[in-house]
Structure formats: C-alpha cells, structure tokens
Amino acid sequence: MRSALSTLEVATPRDLAHALRLLHDSLATERLVPLAGGTDLLVYLNAGQQVGRRFLNLWGLRELRGIREARGGVTLGALTTFTMIREHPLVRRCLPALAAAAAVIGAWQVQNRATIAGNIANGSPAGDSLPVLLAHEAVVHARSMRGGRDIPFGTLYRGYRDLVLEPDELITAVTVPFPPARAFPFFRKVGTRRAQSISKVVLCGLVRVARGGEVDLARVALGSVAPVTLRARRAERALLGARPSATATAAARAALMEDIAPIDDIRSDAAYRRAVAGNVLEQFLRAADARFTMG
Ligand SMILES: Cc1cc2nc3c(=O)[nH]c(=O)nc-3n(C[C@H](O)[C@H](O)[C@H](O)COP(=O)(O)OP(=O)(O)OC[C@H]3O[C@@H](n4cnc5c(N)ncnc54)[C@H](O)[C@@H]3O)c2cc1C
C-alpha cells in the first residue's frame, strides 16, 4: 500500500552544519532519512516500503553541490545530478566512463534529479555509477558532527545495500581519480533496452598495454552480478602480464566466471548474466586491443 504523504515530515536545514545537527539529534528519537533527488525514496514510498516517516531535505544545501578539479581527479558534490555529470566538459574529457554511465541512468527527467550520492547510498548492486567509481578507485567523503572522513569506494559496502556509513553521517562528495596515463576506459550497461532499464549486467574497465606489449594495468568492475558491485580480481590477474590475444581473453573470461555470483531474479537469470558478463568483457578487451594496436 502507498505511504500517505500526510503522515510524512520533512525537515529543511539552512546549511550543512544545521543538517548534521538535525541528523545527529534525530537519532535520539526517529532518524531523519536523508532525501536528495528522491528518485529512489519516492519509488519506495509509492510502493509502501518502510523507508521512514521523517526526512532530511538536502536539496537546498549549496555545500553539497559543484564539480571541481581536485588533485589528480574530479570532486563531485553529493548533490551532483547525472545531467550535470553527463554534460560537464571536464568529466566528458577526463572521465568518459562516468559520463557514459550518467547518460544511461533512467531518462532525462530522472537524470535531472538523481544524484551521485543517492546512487551510492541506495547501494543497489545494479547502480550504474558504482562500477565506474570502483574501477577508478574513487573516494567517498563523509561528514558528521564528529568530523569528516574519507572512505575508499572499494571498502564502502559490507554486503547487500549495507554501507559502512554511520547513522549520523552524510556523504558530502566523491572524488574520482583520473584514469592512469594511457589507460583505456570502457563502460557498458546491458539492460532490456537501451534506455530506461535496470542493468542486467554493467561493467566498467580500465586496461593498459605497456610499450613492451604486455598488459600492465587491468581493472574490471561489475554490477548486477553479485550482492554488491565487485572488482573481478581473478580476471584482472589473468590479464596482467599477458599479451593481448584470443588465449588471454579466454583465460580472463574463464576467471571472470569465478569472480561473479549472479542470481535468478525477475529481470534475468544467472546463466544469462554469466554469458553477458563474459561477452561484455570480451567486447572491452577487443576495443582495448584495437586502440593499443593503433597506438
Ligand atoms: C524511473 C527510474 C529509473 C531509474 N533508472 C536508473 C538507472 O538506469 N540506473 C541507476 O543506477 N539508477 C536508476 N534509478 C535509481 C535512482 O535514480 C538512482 O539510484 C539515483 O542516483 C538516486 O539518487 P537520488 O538523489 O534520487 O536519491 P534519493 O532517492 O534521494 O535517496 C536514495 C538513498 O540515498 C540516501 N542518500 C541520498 N543522499 C545522501 C547523502 N548525501 N548522504 C547519505 N545518504 C544519502 C537516501 O537516504 C536514500 O537511502 C532510477 C529511478 C527511477 C525512478
């Protein structure tokens, strides 16, 4: 049953310090649920899921906005929407995989509201920006009244939708390092159709072939193939040191099958997800091979 809107409360803080105070104080009674673009929360409310009754409206907080170049990367404020990411010249030029992911999240209406921190905190294994953040070894910036801390993205999830964030912490920003020099970036989402679909498999990769001809950098991150977004460490190990070839690709594909643990659900089944994950990995490695062969 839908949640009746008349039973809900929304607190609108003046600034970040006020927001952190309200969040902290709410823990004594009923925690305020951070509300950013609302594109996940309102779906849950509409479906009658118990996400809470009291919300902390972050939308007006200027401290959580903005995209700026950081040392060796880009820092995105928590409220950065996927439209902003998709359109930002620095992101398009230096983080093309992130721009590509932003462009296939929902439709334009969703991209105008959906935020990067909302995607991260929602913690869905199908969240399309998450493999990009994982492959680029992003850092999440969190803050509470007790202070701030930086959380490597690779350590953010303990399990299915289970984050290491404390109840009094907000995500304030995420820093995404630029890919290492000469690395080839790749992003591919496979869903039921090209737009407005939830991923059946989503992959972000970075690979580099050294001047000597062997792979000296391999990062492969996938979503929708396990309870959390994961790095395919066995596939990465199979690639490192190998010379691009059909044999190396087959070895990486076989190793990937050991990395992932997809399930059958309403969107797809495990066997399909395995086949598609392998195909997308091959597509990534073929594209990289073509790029490095051309020099
Ligand atoms: C029609 C439709 C299509 C969609 N398609 C896609 C898709 O293709 N790919 C995809 O990945 N997602 C998709 N989504 C899901 C959704 O748009 C994203 O997950 C989005 O990034 C959520 O951001 P938000 O700002 O709307 O989050 P909200 O709904 O406001 O919040 C989501 C969660 O994050 C928490 N939160 C938000 N901000 C913070 C913060 N700063 N600190 C701590 N916690 C915070 C909230 O408390 C809540 O638990 C779709 C949603 C809809 C409705």
Side-chain angles (χ1 to χ4, degrees), residues 33-41 43 58 78 82 104-106 110 113-115 117-119 121-122 126-128 165 169-171 189 196-197:
V33 179
L35 169 66
T39 61
D40 280 314
L41 284 175
V43 171
L58 307 179
F82 289 110
V104 294
I105 290 185
V110 169
R113 287 289 298 189
T115 65
N119 206 227
N122 186 52
D128 287 317
L165 275 187
E169 281 183 316
L170 288 175
I171 296 172
K189 162 179 176 168
Q196 281 280 43
S197 65

PDB file of all heavy atoms in Angstrom, residues 33-41 43 58 78 82 104-106 110 113-115 117-119 121-122 126-128 165 169-171 189 196-197, ligand 1:
ATOM      1  N   VAL A  33      15.670  10.519   7.547  1.00  0.00           N
ATOM      2  CA  VAL A  33      16.244   9.841   6.378  1.00  0.00           C
ATOM      3  C   VAL A  33      16.695  10.916   5.390  1.00  0.00           C
ATOM      4  O   VAL A  33      15.882  11.740   4.957  1.00  0.00           O
ATOM      5  CB  VAL A  33      15.188   8.924   5.703  1.00  0.00           C
ATOM      6  CG1 VAL A  33      15.782   8.250   4.474  1.00  0.00           C
ATOM      7  CG2 VAL A  33      14.666   7.903   6.702  1.00  0.00           C
ATOM      8  N   PRO A  34      17.989  10.932   5.039  1.00  0.00           N
ATOM      9  CA  PRO A  34      18.448  11.935   4.059  1.00  0.00           C
ATOM     10  C   PRO A  34      17.664  11.792   2.753  1.00  0.00           C
ATOM     11  O   PRO A  34      17.467  10.684   2.243  1.00  0.00           O
ATOM     12  CB  PRO A  34      19.929  11.579   3.857  1.00  0.00           C
ATOM     13  CG  PRO A  34      20.322  10.835   5.090  1.00  0.00           C
ATOM     14  CD  PRO A  34      19.099  10.075   5.512  1.00  0.00           C
ATOM     15  N   LEU A  35      17.228  12.929   2.237  1.00  0.00           N
ATOM     16  CA  LEU A  35      16.443  12.955   0.987  1.00  0.00           C
ATOM     17  C   LEU A  35      17.182  13.867   0.013  1.00  0.00           C
ATOM     18  O   LEU A  35      17.356  15.060   0.280  1.00  0.00           O
ATOM     19  CB  LEU A  35      15.047  13.510   1.277  1.00  0.00           C
ATOM     20  CG  LEU A  35      14.155  13.853   0.080  1.00  0.00           C
ATOM     21  CD1 LEU A  35      13.767  12.603  -0.694  1.00  0.00           C
ATOM     22  CD2 LEU A  35      12.892  14.586   0.547  1.00  0.00           C
ATOM     23  N   ALA A  36      17.636  13.297  -1.096  1.00  0.00           N
ATOM     24  CA  ALA A  36      18.336  14.110  -2.108  1.00  0.00           C
ATOM     25  C   ALA A  36      17.374  14.331  -3.277  1.00  0.00           C
ATOM     26  O   ALA A  36      16.412  15.096  -3.151  1.00  0.00           O
ATOM     27  CB  ALA A  36      19.629  13.414  -2.515  1.00  0.00           C
ATOM     28  N   GLY A  37      17.576  13.652  -4.397  1.00  0.00           N
ATOM     29  CA  GLY A  37      16.675  13.839  -5.537  1.00  0.00           C
ATOM     30  C   GLY A  37      15.341  13.123  -5.370  1.00  0.00           C
ATOM     31  O   GLY A  37      14.364  13.429  -6.060  1.00  0.00           O
ATOM     32  N   GLY A  38      15.310  12.140  -4.479  1.00  0.00           N
ATOM     33  CA  GLY A  38      14.071  11.420  -4.200  1.00  0.00           C
ATOM     34  C   GLY A  38      13.701  10.355  -5.234  1.00  0.00           C
ATOM     35  O   GLY A  38      12.644   9.730  -5.131  1.00  0.00           O
ATOM     36  N   THR A  39      14.577  10.099  -6.209  1.00  0.00           N
ATOM     37  CA  THR A  39      14.170   9.173  -7.279  1.00  0.00           C
ATOM     38  C   THR A  39      14.159   7.711  -6.832  1.00  0.00           C
ATOM     39  O   THR A  39      13.505   6.886  -7.469  1.00  0.00           O
ATOM     40  CB  THR A  39      15.056   9.326  -8.533  1.00  0.00           C
ATOM     41  OG1 THR A  39      16.415   9.023  -8.178  1.00  0.00           O
ATOM     42  CG2 THR A  39      14.967  10.720  -9.126  1.00  0.00           C
ATOM     43  N   ASP A  40      14.856   7.398  -5.772  1.00  0.00           N
ATOM     44  CA  ASP A  40      14.699   6.076  -5.161  1.00  0.00           C
ATOM     45  C   ASP A  40      13.673   6.135  -4.030  1.00  0.00           C
ATOM     46  O   ASP A  40      12.758   5.319  -3.970  1.00  0.00           O
ATOM     47  CB  ASP A  40      16.036   5.559  -4.592  1.00  0.00           C
ATOM     48  CG  ASP A  40      16.937   4.985  -5.665  1.00  0.00           C
ATOM     49  OD1 ASP A  40      16.447   4.216  -6.499  1.00  0.00           O
ATOM     50  OD2 ASP A  40      18.131   5.316  -5.671  1.00  0.00           O
ATOM     51  N   LEU A  41      13.819   7.129  -3.150  1.00  0.00           N
ATOM     52  CA  LEU A  41      12.965   7.163  -1.955  1.00  0.00           C
ATOM     53  C   LEU A  41      11.486   7.260  -2.317  1.00  0.00           C
ATOM     54  O   LEU A  41      10.645   6.596  -1.712  1.00  0.00           O
ATOM     55  CB  LEU A  41      13.368   8.338  -1.059  1.00  0.00           C
ATOM     56  CG  LEU A  41      14.648   8.117  -0.247  1.00  0.00           C
ATOM     57  CD1 LEU A  41      15.027   9.387   0.513  1.00  0.00           C
ATOM     58  CD2 LEU A  41      14.482   6.944   0.724  1.00  0.00           C
ATOM     59  N   VAL A  43      10.019   6.235  -4.975  1.00  0.00           N
ATOM     60  CA  VAL A  43       9.558   4.942  -5.516  1.00  0.00           C
ATOM     61  C   VAL A  43       9.242   3.997  -4.352  1.00  0.00           C
ATOM     62  O   VAL A  43       8.214   3.315  -4.343  1.00  0.00           O
ATOM     63  CB  VAL A  43      10.628   4.342  -6.455  1.00  0.00           C
ATOM     64  CG1 VAL A  43      10.275   2.910  -6.843  1.00  0.00           C
ATOM     65  CG2 VAL A  43      10.789   5.207  -7.702  1.00  0.00           C
ATOM     66  N   LEU A  58      17.958  17.514   1.656  1.00  0.00           N
ATOM     67  CA  LEU A  58      19.314  18.034   1.395  1.00  0.00           C
ATOM     68  C   LEU A  58      19.362  18.972   0.190  1.00  0.00           C
ATOM     69  O   LEU A  58      20.383  19.621  -0.047  1.00  0.00           O
ATOM     70  CB  LEU A  58      20.278  16.858   1.126  1.00  0.00           C
ATOM     71  CG  LEU A  58      20.340  15.740   2.165  1.00  0.00           C
ATOM     72  CD1 LEU A  58      21.317  14.652   1.710  1.00  0.00           C
ATOM     73  CD2 LEU A  58      20.761  16.290   3.526  1.00  0.00           C
ATOM     74  N   ALA A  78      27.904  15.882  -3.369  1.00  0.00           N
ATOM     75  CA  ALA A  78      26.924  14.799  -3.194  1.00  0.00           C
ATOM     76  C   ALA A  78      25.679  15.003  -4.047  1.00  0.00           C
ATOM     77  O   ALA A  78      25.084  14.044  -4.553  1.00  0.00           O
ATOM     78  CB  ALA A  78      26.531  14.714  -1.720  1.00  0.00           C
ATOM     79  N   PHE A  82      23.032  13.424 -12.456  1.00  0.00           N
ATOM     80  CA  PHE A  82      23.629  12.753 -13.614  1.00  0.00           C
ATOM     81  C   PHE A  82      23.567  13.635 -14.859  1.00  0.00           C
ATOM     82  O   PHE A  82      24.404  13.487 -15.757  1.00  0.00           O
ATOM     83  CB  PHE A  82      23.002  11.370 -13.811  1.00  0.00           C
ATOM     84  CG  PHE A  82      23.452  10.428 -12.728  1.00  0.00           C
ATOM     85  CD1 PHE A  82      22.573   9.982 -11.749  1.00  0.00           C
ATOM     86  CD2 PHE A  82      24.777  10.041 -12.649  1.00  0.00           C
ATOM     87  CE1 PHE A  82      23.011   9.160 -10.722  1.00  0.00           C
ATOM     88  CE2 PHE A  82      25.234   9.220 -11.624  1.00  0.00           C
ATOM     89  CZ  PHE A  82      24.342   8.776 -10.662  1.00  0.00           C
ATOM     90  N   VAL A 104      23.101   6.900 -19.282  1.00  0.00           N
ATOM     91  CA  VAL A 104      22.163   5.768 -19.419  1.00  0.00           C
ATOM     92  C   VAL A 104      21.428   5.478 -18.110  1.00  0.00           C
ATOM     93  O   VAL A 104      20.829   4.419 -17.946  1.00  0.00           O
ATOM     94  CB  VAL A 104      22.878   4.489 -19.926  1.00  0.00           C
ATOM     95  CG1 VAL A 104      23.378   4.695 -21.347  1.00  0.00           C
ATOM     96  CG2 VAL A 104      24.026   4.067 -19.004  1.00  0.00           C
ATOM     97  N   ILE A 105      21.465   6.420 -17.187  1.00  0.00           N
ATOM     98  CA  ILE A 105      20.705   6.246 -15.933  1.00  0.00           C
ATOM     99  C   ILE A 105      19.307   6.821 -16.146  1.00  0.00           C
ATOM    100  O   ILE A 105      19.153   8.021 -16.371  1.00  0.00           O
ATOM    101  CB  ILE A 105      21.444   6.900 -14.753  1.00  0.00           C
ATOM    102  CG1 ILE A 105      22.708   6.074 -14.457  1.00  0.00           C
ATOM    103  CG2 ILE A 105      20.532   7.030 -13.532  1.00  0.00           C
ATOM    104  CD1 ILE A 105      23.508   6.480 -13.277  1.00  0.00           C
ATOM    105  N   GLY A 106      18.315   5.949 -16.117  1.00  0.00           N
ATOM    106  CA  GLY A 106      16.933   6.394 -16.302  1.00  0.00           C
ATOM    107  C   GLY A 106      16.766   7.182 -17.588  1.00  0.00           C
ATOM    108  O   GLY A 106      17.440   6.933 -18.587  1.00  0.00           O
ATOM    109  N   VAL A 110      14.788  11.701 -14.914  1.00  0.00           N
ATOM    110  CA  VAL A 110      15.441  11.082 -13.756  1.00  0.00           C
ATOM    111  C   VAL A 110      16.847  11.660 -13.587  1.00  0.00           C
ATOM    112  O   VAL A 110      17.267  12.027 -12.485  1.00  0.00           O
ATOM    113  CB  VAL A 110      15.479   9.539 -13.915  1.00  0.00           C
ATOM    114  CG1 VAL A 110      16.376   8.897 -12.864  1.00  0.00           C
ATOM    115  CG2 VAL A 110      14.070   8.969 -13.812  1.00  0.00           C
ATOM    116  N   ARG A 113      17.248  14.834 -11.568  1.00  0.00           N
ATOM    117  CA  ARG A 113      17.060  14.798 -10.107  1.00  0.00           C
ATOM    118  C   ARG A 113      18.008  13.819  -9.418  1.00  0.00           C
ATOM    119  O   ARG A 113      18.409  14.052  -8.276  1.00  0.00           O
ATOM    120  CB  ARG A 113      15.622  14.345  -9.759  1.00  0.00           C
ATOM    121  CG  ARG A 113      14.529  15.339 -10.015  1.00  0.00           C
ATOM    122  CD  ARG A 113      14.534  16.508  -9.058  1.00  0.00           C
ATOM    123  NE  ARG A 113      14.333  16.150  -7.666  1.00  0.00           N
ATOM    124  CZ  ARG A 113      14.126  17.031  -6.698  1.00  0.00           C
ATOM    125  NH1 ARG A 113      14.072  18.329  -6.991  1.00  0.00           N
ATOM    126  NH2 ARG A 113      13.988  16.652  -5.455  1.00  0.00           N
ATOM    127  N   ALA A 114      18.301  12.731 -10.087  1.00  0.00           N
ATOM    128  CA  ALA A 114      19.075  11.651  -9.450  1.00  0.00           C
ATOM    129  C   ALA A 114      20.498  12.126  -9.176  1.00  0.00           C
ATOM    130  O   ALA A 114      21.171  12.657 -10.062  1.00  0.00           O
ATOM    131  CB  ALA A 114      19.100  10.432 -10.360  1.00  0.00           C
ATOM    132  N   THR A 115      20.959  11.910  -7.944  1.00  0.00           N
ATOM    133  CA  THR A 115      22.282  12.395  -7.555  1.00  0.00           C
ATOM    134  C   THR A 115      23.284  11.241  -7.422  1.00  0.00           C
ATOM    135  O   THR A 115      22.905  10.087  -7.203  1.00  0.00           O
ATOM    136  CB  THR A 115      22.214  13.136  -6.202  1.00  0.00           C
ATOM    137  OG1 THR A 115      21.843  12.195  -5.181  1.00  0.00           O
ATOM    138  CG2 THR A 115      21.220  14.294  -6.239  1.00  0.00           C
ATOM    139  N   ALA A 117      25.398  10.851  -4.931  1.00  0.00           N
ATOM    140  CA  ALA A 117      25.403  10.299  -3.563  1.00  0.00           C
ATOM    141  C   ALA A 117      24.186   9.416  -3.333  1.00  0.00           C
ATOM    142  O   ALA A 117      24.266   8.419  -2.606  1.00  0.00           O
ATOM    143  CB  ALA A 117      25.444  11.420  -2.526  1.00  0.00           C
ATOM    144  N   GLY A 118      23.070   9.766  -3.952  1.00  0.00           N
ATOM    145  CA  GLY A 118      21.871   8.917  -3.832  1.00  0.00           C
ATOM    146  C   GLY A 118      22.114   7.552  -4.446  1.00  0.00           C
ATOM    147  O   GLY A 118      21.730   6.524  -3.880  1.00  0.00           O
ATOM    148  N   ASN A 119      22.773   7.532  -5.592  1.00  0.00           N
ATOM    149  CA  ASN A 119      23.088   6.258  -6.250  1.00  0.00           C
ATOM    150  C   ASN A 119      24.002   5.416  -5.357  1.00  0.00           C
ATOM    151  O   ASN A 119      23.797   4.209  -5.180  1.00  0.00           O
ATOM    152  CB  ASN A 119      23.749   6.552  -7.602  1.00  0.00           C
ATOM    153  CG  ASN A 119      23.566   5.447  -8.643  1.00  0.00           C
ATOM    154  OD1 ASN A 119      24.507   5.043  -9.295  1.00  0.00           O
ATOM    155  ND2 ASN A 119      22.367   4.953  -8.820  1.00  0.00           N
ATOM    156  N   ALA A 121      24.479   5.776  -1.961  1.00  0.00           N
ATOM    157  CA  ALA A 121      23.887   5.407  -0.663  1.00  0.00           C
ATOM    158  C   ALA A 121      22.747   4.418  -0.822  1.00  0.00           C
ATOM    159  O   ALA A 121      22.509   3.592   0.063  1.00  0.00           O
ATOM    160  CB  ALA A 121      23.397   6.665   0.061  1.00  0.00           C
ATOM    161  N   ASN A 122      22.059   4.470  -1.937  1.00  0.00           N
ATOM    162  CA  ASN A 122      20.992   3.490  -2.169  1.00  0.00           C
ATOM    163  C   ASN A 122      21.582   2.076  -2.208  1.00  0.00           C
ATOM    164  O   ASN A 122      20.952   1.116  -1.779  1.00  0.00           O
ATOM    165  CB  ASN A 122      20.275   3.829  -3.482  1.00  0.00           C
ATOM    166  CG  ASN A 122      19.075   2.947  -3.724  1.00  0.00           C
ATOM    167  OD1 ASN A 122      18.212   2.810  -2.855  1.00  0.00           O
ATOM    168  ND2 ASN A 122      19.020   2.323  -4.880  1.00  0.00           N
ATOM    169  N   ALA A 126      22.747  -2.914  -8.811  1.00  0.00           N
ATOM    170  CA  ALA A 126      22.519  -2.521 -10.214  1.00  0.00           C
ATOM    171  C   ALA A 126      22.788  -1.032 -10.432  1.00  0.00           C
ATOM    172  O   ALA A 126      22.562  -0.531 -11.534  1.00  0.00           O
ATOM    173  CB  ALA A 126      21.085  -2.863 -10.622  1.00  0.00           C
ATOM    174  N   GLY A 127      23.234  -0.308  -9.411  1.00  0.00           N
ATOM    175  CA  GLY A 127      23.507   1.128  -9.556  1.00  0.00           C
ATOM    176  C   GLY A 127      24.579   1.340 -10.629  1.00  0.00           C
ATOM    177  O   GLY A 127      25.683   0.804 -10.524  1.00  0.00           O
ATOM    178  N   ASP A 128      24.247   2.120 -11.639  1.00  0.00           N
ATOM    179  CA  ASP A 128      25.127   2.167 -12.816  1.00  0.00           C
ATOM    180  C   ASP A 128      26.405   2.970 -12.614  1.00  0.00           C
ATOM    181  O   ASP A 128      27.382   2.756 -13.339  1.00  0.00           O
ATOM    182  CB  ASP A 128      24.359   2.729 -14.018  1.00  0.00           C
ATOM    183  CG  ASP A 128      23.360   1.726 -14.553  1.00  0.00           C
ATOM    184  OD1 ASP A 128      23.725   0.542 -14.663  1.00  0.00           O
ATOM    185  OD2 ASP A 128      22.219   2.113 -14.843  1.00  0.00           O
ATOM    186  N   LEU A 165      28.679   3.545   6.301  1.00  0.00           N
ATOM    187  CA  LEU A 165      28.308   4.881   6.815  1.00  0.00           C
ATOM    188  C   LEU A 165      27.644   4.749   8.173  1.00  0.00           C
ATOM    189  O   LEU A 165      26.822   3.849   8.386  1.00  0.00           O
ATOM    190  CB  LEU A 165      27.288   5.540   5.883  1.00  0.00           C
ATOM    191  CG  LEU A 165      27.752   6.316   4.656  1.00  0.00           C
ATOM    192  CD1 LEU A 165      26.547   7.005   4.038  1.00  0.00           C
ATOM    193  CD2 LEU A 165      28.849   7.309   4.983  1.00  0.00           C
ATOM    194  N   GLU A 169      26.069  10.155   9.680  1.00  0.00           N
ATOM    195  CA  GLU A 169      26.951  10.656   8.609  1.00  0.00           C
ATOM    196  C   GLU A 169      26.175  10.903   7.325  1.00  0.00           C
ATOM    197  O   GLU A 169      25.273  10.130   6.963  1.00  0.00           O
ATOM    198  CB  GLU A 169      28.054   9.637   8.302  1.00  0.00           C
ATOM    199  CG  GLU A 169      29.191   9.658   9.305  1.00  0.00           C
ATOM    200  CD  GLU A 169      30.296   8.691   8.914  1.00  0.00           C
ATOM    201  OE1 GLU A 169      29.995   7.542   8.519  1.00  0.00           O
ATOM    202  OE2 GLU A 169      31.469   9.060   9.037  1.00  0.00           O
ATOM    203  N   LEU A 170      26.602  11.964   6.640  1.00  0.00           N
ATOM    204  CA  LEU A 170      26.122  12.230   5.288  1.00  0.00           C
ATOM    205  C   LEU A 170      27.284  12.087   4.330  1.00  0.00           C
ATOM    206  O   LEU A 170      28.436  12.399   4.685  1.00  0.00           O
ATOM    207  CB  LEU A 170      25.594  13.661   5.173  1.00  0.00           C
ATOM    208  CG  LEU A 170      24.275  13.991   5.862  1.00  0.00           C
ATOM    209  CD1 LEU A 170      23.992  15.491   5.735  1.00  0.00           C
ATOM    210  CD2 LEU A 170      23.132  13.177   5.255  1.00  0.00           C
ATOM    211  N   ILE A 171      27.011  11.657   3.127  1.00  0.00           N
ATOM    212  CA  ILE A 171      28.012  11.750   2.064  1.00  0.00           C
ATOM    213  C   ILE A 171      28.016  13.205   1.623  1.00  0.00           C
ATOM    214  O   ILE A 171      26.949  13.771   1.332  1.00  0.00           O
ATOM    215  CB  ILE A 171      27.656  10.822   0.886  1.00  0.00           C
ATOM    216  CG1 ILE A 171      27.680   9.357   1.322  1.00  0.00           C
ATOM    217  CG2 ILE A 171      28.604  11.056  -0.291  1.00  0.00           C
ATOM    218  CD1 ILE A 171      27.153   8.382   0.283  1.00  0.00           C
ATOM    219  N   LYS A 189      26.575  -0.934 -20.270  1.00  0.00           N
ATOM    220  CA  LYS A 189      25.427  -1.409 -19.485  1.00  0.00           C
ATOM    221  C   LYS A 189      24.552  -2.234 -20.411  1.00  0.00           C
ATOM    222  O   LYS A 189      24.263  -1.802 -21.533  1.00  0.00           O
ATOM    223  CB  LYS A 189      24.660  -0.190 -18.971  1.00  0.00           C
ATOM    224  CG  LYS A 189      23.232  -0.464 -18.520  1.00  0.00           C
ATOM    225  CD  LYS A 189      22.576   0.812 -18.020  1.00  0.00           C
ATOM    226  CE  LYS A 189      21.111   0.570 -17.662  1.00  0.00           C
ATOM    227  NZ  LYS A 189      20.524   1.698 -16.918  1.00  0.00           N
ATOM    228  N   GLN A 196      16.057   3.661 -20.020  1.00  0.00           N
ATOM    229  CA  GLN A 196      15.029   3.394 -19.018  1.00  0.00           C
ATOM    230  C   GLN A 196      14.956   1.926 -18.626  1.00  0.00           C
ATOM    231  O   GLN A 196      13.866   1.357 -18.551  1.00  0.00           O
ATOM    232  CB  GLN A 196      13.647   3.825 -19.540  1.00  0.00           C
ATOM    233  CG  GLN A 196      13.373   5.300 -19.467  1.00  0.00           C
ATOM    234  CD  GLN A 196      12.967   5.722 -18.049  1.00  0.00           C
ATOM    235  OE1 GLN A 196      13.551   5.290 -17.076  1.00  0.00           O
ATOM    236  NE2 GLN A 196      11.996   6.573 -17.952  1.00  0.00           N
ATOM    237  N   SER A 197      16.091   1.300 -18.444  1.00  0.00           N
ATOM    238  CA  SER A 197      16.012  -0.077 -17.963  1.00  0.00           C
ATOM    239  C   SER A 197      17.077  -0.290 -16.904  1.00  0.00           C
ATOM    240  O   SER A 197      18.120   0.366 -16.921  1.00  0.00           O
ATOM    241  CB  SER A 197      16.205  -1.073 -19.111  1.00  0.00           C
ATOM    242  OG  SER A 197      17.493  -0.961 -19.624  1.00  0.00           O
TER     243      SER A 197
HETATM  244  C1  LIG B   1      12.320   5.737 -13.475  1.00  0.00           C
HETATM  245  C2  LIG B   1      13.629   5.491 -12.787  1.00  0.00           C
HETATM  246  C3  LIG B   1      14.689   4.988 -13.497  1.00  0.00           C
HETATM  247  C4  LIG B   1      15.926   4.750 -12.875  1.00  0.00           C
HETATM  248  N1  LIG B   1      16.938   4.265 -13.633  1.00  0.00           N
HETATM  249  C5  LIG B   1      18.143   4.037 -13.057  1.00  0.00           C
HETATM  250  C6  LIG B   1      19.219   3.521 -13.846  1.00  0.00           C
HETATM  251  O1  LIG B   1      19.107   3.312 -15.047  1.00  0.00           O
HETATM  252  N2  LIG B   1      20.404   3.288 -13.206  1.00  0.00           N
HETATM  253  C7  LIG B   1      20.582   3.536 -11.878  1.00  0.00           C
HETATM  254  O2  LIG B   1      21.693   3.316 -11.357  1.00  0.00           O
HETATM  255  N3  LIG B   1      19.571   4.007 -11.109  1.00  0.00           N
HETATM  256  C8  LIG B   1      18.358   4.269 -11.668  1.00  0.00           C
HETATM  257  N4  LIG B   1      17.320   4.737 -10.902  1.00  0.00           N
HETATM  258  C9  LIG B   1      17.517   4.884  -9.455  1.00  0.00           C
HETATM  259  C10 LIG B   1      17.862   6.306  -8.967  1.00  0.00           C
HETATM  260  O3  LIG B   1      17.529   7.299  -9.911  1.00  0.00           O
HETATM  261  C11 LIG B   1      19.339   6.449  -8.588  1.00  0.00           C
HETATM  262  O4  LIG B   1      19.737   5.478  -7.653  1.00  0.00           O
HETATM  263  C12 LIG B   1      19.670   7.856  -8.048  1.00  0.00           C
HETATM  264  O5  LIG B   1      21.040   8.119  -8.210  1.00  0.00           O
HETATM  265  C13 LIG B   1      19.265   8.092  -6.604  1.00  0.00           C
HETATM  266  O6  LIG B   1      19.617   9.433  -6.266  1.00  0.00           O
HETATM  267  P1  LIG B   1      18.574  10.397  -5.529  1.00  0.00           P
HETATM  268  O7  LIG B   1      19.278  11.684  -5.318  1.00  0.00           O
HETATM  269  O8  LIG B   1      17.289  10.463  -6.240  1.00  0.00           O
HETATM  270  O9  LIG B   1      18.431   9.594  -4.156  1.00  0.00           O
HETATM  271  P2  LIG B   1      17.252   9.599  -3.071  1.00  0.00           P
HETATM  272  O10 LIG B   1      16.094   8.850  -3.587  1.00  0.00           O
HETATM  273  O11 LIG B   1      17.012  10.975  -2.547  1.00  0.00           O
HETATM  274  O12 LIG B   1      17.994   8.751  -1.937  1.00  0.00           O
HETATM  275  C14 LIG B   1      18.424   7.420  -2.169  1.00  0.00           C
HETATM  276  C15 LIG B   1      19.131   6.890  -0.914  1.00  0.00           C
HETATM  277  O13 LIG B   1      20.336   7.594  -0.686  1.00  0.00           O
HETATM  278  C16 LIG B   1      20.326   8.228   0.616  1.00  0.00           C
HETATM  279  N5  LIG B   1      21.056   9.487   0.434  1.00  0.00           N
HETATM  280  C17 LIG B   1      20.866  10.420  -0.543  1.00  0.00           C
HETATM  281  N6  LIG B   1      21.782  11.386  -0.446  1.00  0.00           N
HETATM  282  C18 LIG B   1      22.574  11.069   0.615  1.00  0.00           C
HETATM  283  C19 LIG B   1      23.719  11.681   1.209  1.00  0.00           C
HETATM  284  N7  LIG B   1      24.249  12.825   0.735  1.00  0.00           N
HETATM  285  N8  LIG B   1      24.294  11.070   2.256  1.00  0.00           N
HETATM  286  C20 LIG B   1      23.803   9.910   2.742  1.00  0.00           C
HETATM  287  N9  LIG B   1      22.722   9.278   2.230  1.00  0.00           N
HETATM  288  C21 LIG B   1      22.119   9.853   1.160  1.00  0.00           C
HETATM  289  C22 LIG B   1      18.865   8.356   0.973  1.00  0.00           C
HETATM  290  O14 LIG B   1      18.656   8.423   2.370  1.00  0.00           O
HETATM  291  C23 LIG B   1      18.307   7.074   0.361  1.00  0.00           C
HETATM  292  O15 LIG B   1      18.570   5.994   1.217  1.00  0.00           O
HETATM  293  C24 LIG B   1      16.069   5.003 -11.489  1.00  0.00           C
HETATM  294  C25 LIG B   1      14.996   5.539 -10.756  1.00  0.00           C
HETATM  295  C26 LIG B   1      13.784   5.780 -11.396  1.00  0.00           C
HETATM  296  C27 LIG B   1      12.637   6.339 -10.598  1.00  0.00           C
END
